[in-house]
Amino acid sequence: MIDHVRDLASVRDATERLLTAAATLDNASLSEPSRLPGWSRGHVLAHLARNADALVNVLEGRPMYASGDARDTDIERDAPRPLDVQLADVRESAARFQETGAAPADWSRTVELRNGVTDSAARVPFRRWIEVELHHVDLGIGYELEDLPEEFVEREIEFLTDRFAGHPDVPPTRITDGTRAWSTGRDAEGAPEVTVTGPAPALLGWLAGRRDGAALTVDGGLLPALPPL
């Protein structure tokens, strides 16, 4: 069962790690490229702040974003801001998310995110945890996939393999770190077509589009090409 209270605490801890690390930057380094194509570090921080507010909208029953264009416009608007403004915005928007998460609510209800995606309200804090952890890595300031909490890595692998499960363009695939195993892709009538093996952070990097899978071992065929997230 999803423990949204525990996940909210994990979001808070992850946010503090990110803010502490980002505070070592300066205004010039904010304009430098992040690891996300086309985005500076300022874009990443702006997105994190606006995503927190968007998830408040979700929990309070409003559309996540006014539109896809509005989402992109807000990020572009906020990306060039100086470091102190960026950090204050990330911190204050994170506090708004925590305050909303602490309010009495029916956490079993279904909520709507972007592009018609629905999920249980209880999973929203985990979705925010994903945003904070992976975008911390995307900043390219010394926090790597190998530094992510083990619980997070395992749950995010499970989350992403579930996301690609049944996808017609992904062959039946078994994913394993040598201890745990997950299945994804098209339904397998028998044994999976492909088995992908490697350390859990490397598996997560491939599934999340953060690494090319070069550190992984593939048996039964080529490393599957995954759809964009």
Side-chain angles (χ1 to χ4, degrees):
M1 178 176 288
I2 301 169
D3 185 343
H4 72 275
V5 174
R6 190 164 183 267
D7 285 347
L8 283 166
S10 295
V11 171
R12 184 171 55 248
D13 293 345
T15 302
E16 286 303 319
R17 283 194 298 273
L18 182 145
L19 286 167
T20 298
T24 65
L25 299 172
D26 55 29
N27 291 335
S29 59
L30 273 190
S31 65
E32 294 173 352
S34 73
R35 291 175 173 174
L36 293 177
W39 271 16
S40 67
R41 293 189 178 108
H43 283 87
V44 174
L45 293 178
H47 165 63
L48 279 168
R50 300 288 69 78
N51 173 262
D53 285 337
L55 291 177
V56 169
N57 289 338
V58 167
L59 290 176
E60 294 185 344
R62 296 185 296 274
M64 186 170 180
Y65 295 101
S67 67
D69 288 343
R71 169 188 177 272
D72 296 342
T73 298
D74 287 349
I75 294 170
E76 290 295 333
R77 177 199 66 209
D78 294 343
R81 299 175 303 176
L83 180 64
D84 60 338
V85 177
Q86 294 273 25
L87 296 182
D89 193 15
V90 172
R91 185 177 296 281
E92 290 163 8
S93 59
R96 290 191 291 271
F97 177 73
Q98 289 287 334
E99 182 179 2
T100 302
D106 173 13
W107 287 93
S108 67
R109 72 192 187 281
T110 298
V111 295
E112 184 171 345
L113 296 108
R114 292 181 67 200
N115 303 320
V117 172
T118 60
D119 205 346
S120 68
R123 202 192 298 268
V124 170
F126 179 65
R127 285 180 174 270
R128 176 60 182 175
W129 192 11
I130 294 170
E131 294 286 330
V132 176
E133 293 285 16
L134 292 186
H135 287 317
H136 190 169
V137 174
D138 293 334
L139 286 172
I141 54 176
Y143 190 69
E144 303 296 341
L145 294 171
E146 287 74 16
D147 298 315
L148 294 169
E150 183 177 354
E151 177 196 354
F152 172 81
V153 172
E154 182 174 356
R155 289 179 60 187
E156 176 65 346
I157 290 174
E158 181 177 1
F159 182 82
L160 291 172
T161 51
D162 284 349
R163 180 166 181 165
F164 297 130
H167 197 289
D169 296 333
V170 180
T173 303
R174 180 176 183 267
I175 297 169
T176 179
D177 63 358
T179 301
R180 299 158 294 189
W182 303 264
S183 296
T184 197
R186 296 189 301 272
D187 293 336
E189 296 180 0
E193 292 181 17
V194 179
T195 297
V196 180
T197 305
L203 292 170
L204 172 55
W206 165 60
L207 289 166
R210 265 65 180 184
R211 291 188 184 170
D212 62 8
L216 304 175
T217 301
V218 186
D219 296 315
L222 299 175
L223 184 70
L226 299 175
L229 295 172

